[in-house]
Amino acid sequence: MVLGDYEAIQNKIGTQYALVGIDPRGTGSSGPSSDCFTGYSFVARNAFLSQAFAPPDNYHGDYPLKQNHQAMLEYGKWCSQIYSLNGTARYAGTVATAQDMLHYIQLRAKDQDKSPDDAKLWFYGISYGTILGPTFASLYPDKVERMILDGVLELEDHYNGGWEKSLANSDEAARFWFKRCFEAGPQICAFHQNATSWQEIEQRYWTLFNNLKDNPIGLGDPLSPAAIESAKVGTFVTPNVFTWQDLVNQFFSASYIIQPLYYSLLDLSLLELQTGNYSLLPLIATAATISSFAPVYDDRMARTLINCLDANGRSNYADFGEYKGFVDSMANASAYAGLKVATFSGPICSQLNVFPPESQTFDGKYSLR
């Protein structure tokens, strides 16, 4: 955030502060590495992760849900073995990063000819930052000067591993898109189509979504204008099938990130689903990017490692019946985000046998053991 748009932060908090951005342990450029597939083909990695992190299918009976369940369990087994090779992954939990933050402000105080005992933290945290900040405050309450928490996650819910309470207001946030589309009008929001209310737009979405559940769409035209343009920049579109889970992923991204680009992509995607004229959809389906998505760092693995270390064995859904109950409860809690959030923690940790050292365990309520 600091590198990408520091001016947006300054607009909120002023220009009198030096902004220090960090990659928490296990993320971005910070070690230990959370990558379970170092040296493996990124195509093979993408193919497997697309299964392990797919929104679970609780609509078509137990068989596809069992596939989701097994993919999550195998992710844990595989990554546990990879992480065991050097044994450093266990030091990537939130408590470890909070300890790093304490060390940093103490060094900063010393650099300013102040006593490290007088060091204070000034912190602005968003999303996972609202777990990192309160963790620091719980462990070192006398070291906090000021703290802003934005997009708050519930601390104990995070450390319990299930993330059930993170769904609060998710549907309201998702409906914000329909409201903004209605306010913008058909000249700006193509999916508006002269609707008389935002509820009409939302209902049209659900009609498309439910139809997609029963009728996945086969895509992939190598001679389409979109495919040709993508190939020019090295992104080759492969034949693929667009599913309702792809739409879940896309809508969640638009609701969470709330940027014009994501809003526009969702708008155009819904219009294509409405009209049957597919030019954008072939480029955004998960299956379409398996052969071209090749970042050095994949945040899904980092998020999973950190969440599971923080849960520290408190979240286990190795039993299929318990997994099914968890998925159904998440879906009932949020129509828009429940199935997506069900992939973030909880079940994905069931067989990830990596645990923090005793000095870095925390339950979200009290203090270090």
Side-chain angles (χ1 to χ4, degrees):
M1 285 183 63
V2 174
L3 289 175
D5 196 0
Y6 67 90
E7 291 181 345
I9 304 174
Q10 290 180 327
N11 289 338
K12 290 185 177 183
I13 66 174
T15 59
Q16 68 271 37
Y17 303 100
L19 302 180
V20 180
I22 64 169
D23 286 349
R25 288 200 191 191
T27 71
S29 298
S30 290
S33 174
S34 57
D35 191 348
C36 307
F37 294 88
T38 301
Y40 288 83
S41 163
F42 72 88
V43 179
R45 177 201 67 187
N46 292 344
F48 177 64
L49 293 187
S50 70
Q51 298 179 52
F53 293 106
D57 185 352
N58 67 337
Y59 178 73
H60 294 98
D62 282 355
Y63 185 77
L65 194 58
K66 287 181 177 180
Q67 287 183 306
N68 295 131
H69 186 224
Q70 286 300 315
M72 284 188 161
L73 296 181
E74 288 307 309
Y75 176 89
K77 294 175 185 177
W78 175 276
C79 290
S80 295
Q81 294 294 323
I82 296 296
Y83 292 148
S84 69
L85 295 178
N86 59 32
T88 59
R90 65 197 297 250
Y91 301 104
T94 300
V95 170
T97 298
Q99 293 172 341
D100 291 340
M101 292 163 61
L102 175 65
H103 185 56
Y104 174 83
I105 64 171
Q106 289 175 333
L107 290 177
R108 180 61 175 153
K110 184 178 179 180
D111 188 52
Q112 296 175 319
D113 294 324
K114 300 177 182 178
S115 170
D117 294 334
D118 297 329
K120 299 289 184 180
L121 176 71
W122 300 65
F123 182 79
Y124 177 33
I126 295 175
S127 192
Y128 170 65
T130 71
I131 296 298
L132 184 54
T135 297
F136 182 95
S138 297
L139 301 179
Y140 314 111
D142 61 334
K143 296 298 182 181
V144 178
E145 183 67 29
R146 291 185 182 178
M147 186 175 290
I148 299 173
L149 303 178
D150 187 359
V152 179
L153 293 166
E154 210 270 352
L155 193 66
E156 187 177 349
D157 182 56
H158 168 78
Y159 280 95
N160 282 337
W163 278 43
E164 289 96 333
K165 294 181 180 178
S166 69
L167 295 174
N169 298 319
S170 292
D171 288 351
E172 182 180 347
R175 292 189 178 102
F176 183 75
W177 188 89
F178 301 112
K179 294 176 182 179
R180 293 294 292 155
C181 179
F182 180 69
E183 293 171 1
Q187 298 301 318
I188 297 177
C189 183
F191 194 61
H192 185 290
Q193 298 179 332
N194 296 312
T196 58
S197 67
W198 67 265
Q199 291 92 340
E200 180 183 335
I201 302 175
E202 182 183 27
Q203 183 56 52
R204 197 183 317 128
Y205 166 83
W206 281 115
T207 299
L208 292 173
F209 183 85
N210 290 327
N211 182 64
L212 194 58
K213 274 190 168 182
D214 293 322
N215 300 284
I217 301 171
L219 299 169
D221 179 0
L223 301 182
S224 68
I228 293 174
E229 289 302 313
S230 296
K232 291 179 180 179
V233 296
T235 303
F236 296 94
V237 179
T238 57
N240 62 88
V241 176
F242 191 89
T243 71
W244 65 271
Q245 289 147 304
D246 289 312
L247 190 53
V248 167
N249 288 334
Q250 190 178 14
F251 206 105
F252 184 85
S253 296
S255 300
Y256 179 76
I257 300 175
I258 311 180
Q259 290 182 355
L261 174 61
Y262 287 86
Y263 266 35
S264 296
L265 289 175
L266 178 60
D267 179 30
L268 295 176
S269 298
L270 292 177
L271 182 65
E272 290 188 7
L273 288 171
Q274 179 88 46
T275 62
N277 181 21
Y278 309 124
S279 59
L280 178 65
L281 286 185
L283 306 180
I284 63 174
T286 299
T289 61
I290 285 175
S291 63
S292 58
F293 182 69
V296 175
Y297 162 69
D298 190 318
D299 65 351
R300 293 173 294 182
M301 290 184 283
R303 179 185 66 219
T304 300
L305 175 60
I306 294 169
N307 289 348
C308 296
L309 284 170
D310 288 354
N312 196 24
R314 285 181 285 267
S315 185
N316 192 317
Y317 295 90
D319 176 77
F320 175 72
E322 293 181 359
Y323 170 72
K324 181 178 179 179
F326 174 80
V327 169
D328 288 342
S329 68
M330 295 292 276
N332 291 333
S334 172
Y336 287 95
L339 293 177
K340 179 65 177 179
V341 175
T343 70
F344 287 174
S345 193
I348 199 71
C349 299
S350 299
Q351 295 294 318
L352 188 64
N353 296 316
V354 182
F355 305 100
E358 193 74 11
S359 62
Q360 294 174 354
T361 59
F362 181 54
D363 61 7
K365 293 183 291 186
Y366 304 113
S367 60
L368 294 175
R369 291 180 182 174

